[in-house]
């Protein structure tokens, strides 16, 4: 089944403790991206990747890192999480950047 | 800068009533536009795209370049249509989303 898989689905952590949210797709898509979803603000893009080893900042990249060492995986790294990063995070992939995006199930992160 | 605006945060209608979710965009040229839907506690999924001109689950959307709009319409709303709806514009290597409209269909 074609899908985008994120882990974990839920995470509660403390300020400053490094964490990684994994994202994997099995559709051989070149394009992957991360979004955060906040009430009243909709979806905002954090980072995106056009292909392996090619990443670029989205609209709200501060406090986040990503890597794209292989086509299927695009982890999101929070080196020192802060409470303002409490949010619902979505990973997405698409064949190319301007075609239909397939989304993961979401990761609800709480930073206390 | 390119923008997508969904002016209504919440739209509440009764079952069987017509629905129109508004989307306006700012873009010069011929845009490719999408509508995504997010049912409660589920992932976002594509509802329809401008270029395919299809009707999905009874929803249609027409691109109006003069008004720079891509409103989503359904003639008779159903309770199962209750969800968050996002209009999106691919631009500059990314999808630009509107703020979303929550559609609530009451019995």
């Amino acid at each position: 089944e074609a899908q985008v898989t994120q882990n974990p689905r839920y995470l509660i952590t403390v300020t400053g403790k490094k964490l990684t949210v994994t994202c994997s797709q099995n559709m051989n898509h070149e394009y992957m991206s991360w979004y955060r979803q906040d009430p009243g603000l909709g979806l905002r893009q954090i980072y995106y990747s056009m292909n392996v080893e090619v990443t670029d900042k989205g609209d709200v990249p501060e406090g986040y890192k990503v890597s794209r060492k292989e086509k299927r995986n695009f982890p999101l790294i929070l080196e020192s999480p802060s409470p303002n990063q409490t949010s619902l995070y979505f990973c997405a992939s698409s064949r190319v950047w301007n075609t239909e995006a397939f989304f993961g199930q979401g990761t609800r992160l709480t930073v206390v | 800068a390119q923008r997508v605006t969904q002016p209504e945060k919440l739209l509440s209608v009764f079952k069987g009533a017509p629905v129109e979710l508004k989307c306006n965009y700012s873009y010069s040229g011929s845009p490719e536009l999408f509508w995504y839907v997010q049912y409660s506690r589920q992932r976002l999924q594509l509802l329809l795209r401008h270029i395919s001109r299809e009707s999905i689950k009874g929803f249609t959307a027409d691109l109006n370049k003069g008004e720079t709009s891509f409103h989503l319409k359904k003639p008779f709303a159903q309770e199962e249509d209750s969800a968050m709806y996002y209009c999106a514009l691919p631009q500059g290597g990314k999808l630009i989303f509107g703020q979303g409209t929550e559609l609530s269909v009451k019995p």
Side-chain angles (χ1 to χ4, degrees):
Chain A
E1 180 189 354
Q3 59 184 358
V4 178
T5 304
Q6 292 177 230
N7 280 296
R9 294 288 309 279
Y10 302 91
L11 180 59
I12 300 175
T13 190
V14 297
T15 299
K17 185 177 181 182
K18 180 180 178 180
L19 66 92
T20 299
V21 183
T22 63
C23 174
S24 180
Q25 51 96 2
N26 63 0
M27 294 169 278
N28 202 36
H29 285 168
E30 291 191 350
Y31 184 86
M32 298 186 74
S33 58
W34 276 101
Y35 297 86
R36 59 178 290 173
Q37 184 181 37
D38 301 289
L41 297 175
L43 284 141
R44 295 178 292 168
Q45 192 181 52
I46 303 169
Y47 268 94
Y48 64 95
S49 169
M50 292 280 199
N51 212 326
V52 176
E53 301 293 1
V54 180
T55 63
D56 210 344
K57 296 178 180 179
D59 296 317
V60 288
E62 293 76 21
Y64 304 94
K65 284 175 57 177
V66 292
S67 69
R68 188 91 183 273
K69 292 187 172 63
E70 47 192 346
K71 205 171 193 178
R72 63 183 293 124
N73 296 323
F74 191 46
L76 179 69
I77 303 155
L78 285 73
E79 294 269 2
S80 183
S82 62
N84 64 10
Q85 292 177 298
T86 293
S87 186
L88 178 59
Y89 291 86
F90 286 100
C91 178
S93 75
S94 54
R95 186 174 51 81
V96 293
W97 66 273
N98 59 349
T99 57
E100 177 186 357
F102 292 82
F103 285 81
Q105 323 94 302
T107 296
R108 188 167 293 281
L109 172 66
T110 302
V111 184
V112 298
Chain B
Q2 284 73 29
R3 290 185 65 179
V4 176
T5 303
Q6 294 178 247
E8 302 140 328
K9 283 189 177 180
L10 173 64
L11 186 61
S12 185
V13 301
F14 286 102
K15 177 181 172 182
V19 169
E20 181 179 66
L21 291 90
K22 292 183 168 51
C23 171
N24 290 92
Y25 65 91
S26 61
Y27 176 73
S28 55
S30 296
E32 165 93 39
L33 285 152
F34 299 90
W35 275 101
Y36 284 84
V37 61
Q38 184 180 27
Y39 300 103
S40 179
R41 299 186 183 279
Q42 294 186 27
R43 68 185 77 197
L44 278 90
Q45 54 188 289
L46 182 69
L47 179 62
L48 55 80
R49 70 197 85 183
H50 145 247
I51 201 166
S52 63
R53 296 188 146 271
E54 55 195 345
S55 172
I56 303 291
K57 299 184 180 182
F59 285 97
T60 59
D62 289 318
L63 179 65
N64 186 322
K65 291 183 183 179
E67 296 182 358
T68 60
S69 67
F70 188 56
H71 302 330
L72 184 68
K73 300 178 184 179
K74 185 169 182 176
F76 308 103
Q78 304 298 314
E79 289 180 68
E80 55 265 30
D81 296 329
S82 295
M84 280 293 295
Y85 291 82
Y86 291 95
C87 184
L89 168 71
Q91 188 53 225
K94 60 184 180 181
L95 269 179
I96 301 171
F97 283 90
Q99 299 93 323
T101 298
E102 181 181 355
L103 174 64
S104 174
V105 182
K106 299 177 180 177

